[in-house]
Amino acid sequence: GAVVSQHPSWVICKSGTSVKIECRSLDFQATTMFWYRQFPKQSLMLMATSNEGSKATYEQGVEKDKFLINHASLTLSTLTVTSAHPEDSSFYICSATTAGRAKNSPLHFGNGTRLTVT
Amino acid sequence: QQPVQSPQAVILREGEDAVINCSSSKALYSVHWYRQKHGEAPVFLMILLKGGEQKGHDKISASFNEKKQQSSLYLTASQLSYSGTYFCGTEPQGGSEKLVFGKGTKLTVNP
């Protein structure tokens, strides 16, 4: 149980275009989803927290107009990288928590999306 | 505030033991441990809650000293499959559910 599906697993796009990444919880309701970004050989950096039905909360230094997050339902959150530039190339990973998550339950991660902007 | 992990990297031979440490400057509610292999998503290992908890799973165990705001991951009799980068994720007191990850410890197990 507790499967998180992230799509696409990789994408190559040209500078100036927008890319949408989907994160779905397949067998549970996720009231909260987190979006992380990971540069090669570095840690996972939290970008934003997405709550169903409300605006996402962005971490300091993350441009909310560039990284649009929508949490339309209890099973789907999307991250759209707008007007992508080569410096946006990275590994993006979502994670989700179950509704009413017990304090000893883990975050469930998607498999990540490798974005390459040319 | 990002937790500090040590060491940054460790190389072992199969069957050897290793300890990975994670320390925070803030009071913690929980510590999560994950292992990530290259190009893949992190895989959950275990969670430790406050209360000096210790846990074990097969030959991997961990402890959490909330007073010292530290956690350690113990890998005994390492196997080749243990290779990867280990991250601790800390949740601040109050239980915000927002994890902040350390920089990771790269573990390489050689035959």
Side-chain angles (χ1 to χ4, degrees):
Chain A
V3 176
V4 175
S5 173
Q6 192 172 336
H7 179 81
S9 54
W10 61 269
V11 58
I12 302 172
C13 70
K14 292 188 176 180
S15 285
T17 60
S18 296
V19 173
K20 181 185 282 188
I21 302 169
E22 290 188 349
C23 182
R24 293 180 184 273
S25 56
L26 297 185
D27 52 0
F28 66 99
Q29 293 185 325
T31 53
T32 304
M33 289 189 177
F34 302 97
W35 287 95
Y36 289 87
R37 180 176 182 174
Q38 187 176 35
F39 290 106
K41 298 182 180 179
Q42 295 193 24
S43 185
L44 297 100
M45 300 304 296
L46 181 65
M47 297 174 66
T49 303
S50 163
N51 292 297
E52 186 266 338
S54 63
K55 289 184 178 180
T57 303
Y58 291 82
E59 295 299 304
Q60 195 172 12
V62 177
E63 298 176 59
K64 62 180 181 181
D65 294 330
K66 181 168 186 59
F67 299 100
L68 300 179
I69 292 173
N70 183 282
H71 196 152
S73 72
L74 285 171
T75 59
L76 174 63
S77 176
T78 60
L79 167 68
T80 302
V81 183
T82 62
S83 186
H85 291 286
E87 57 264 31
D88 298 325
S89 298
S90 188
F91 192 52
Y92 294 87
I93 310 176
C94 68
S95 67
T97 62
T98 57
R101 168 181 167 235
K103 290 304 181 184
N104 61 350
S105 62
L107 291 182
H108 307 290
F109 283 89
N111 284 329
T113 297
R114 183 157 308 279
L115 171 64
T116 303
V117 184
T118 61
Chain B
Q1 192 107 17
Q2 188 174 39
V4 177
Q5 282 186 240
S6 63
Q8 291 183 346
V10 60
I11 300 174
L12 301 175
R13 290 225 168 153
E14 209 172 356
E16 292 181 337
D17 302 339
V19 180
I20 300 171
N21 299 302
C22 175
S23 63
S24 173
S25 60
K26 289 191 171 184
L28 299 175
Y29 179 80
S30 69
V31 178
H32 300 220
W33 285 97
Y34 290 82
R35 176 173 60 215
Q36 185 181 31
K37 294 191 183 274
H38 181 68
E40 299 179 9
V43 172
F44 170 73
L45 295 176
M46 61 188 78
I47 292 176
L48 300 107
L49 303 178
K50 63 179 182 179
E53 191 172 22
Q54 292 195 22
K55 274 191 176 182
H57 175 70
D58 197 10
K59 293 177 181 174
I60 298 175
S61 61
S63 64
F64 176 32
N65 186 324
E66 64 180 293
K67 287 184 179 178
K68 291 184 178 180
Q69 296 159 189
Q70 293 176 347
S71 178
S72 295
L73 185 72
Y74 308 93
L75 302 108
T76 58
S78 59
Q79 305 168 16
L80 296 177
S81 61
Y82 287 3
S83 292
T85 300
Y86 290 78
F87 292 99
C88 68
T90 55
E91 185 175 6
Q93 208 161 56
S96 70
E97 299 187 329
K98 189 168 75 172
L99 288 187
V100 180
F101 287 92
K103 291 186 175 182
T105 296
K106 184 175 181 181
L107 177 72
T108 304
V109 181
N110 293 319

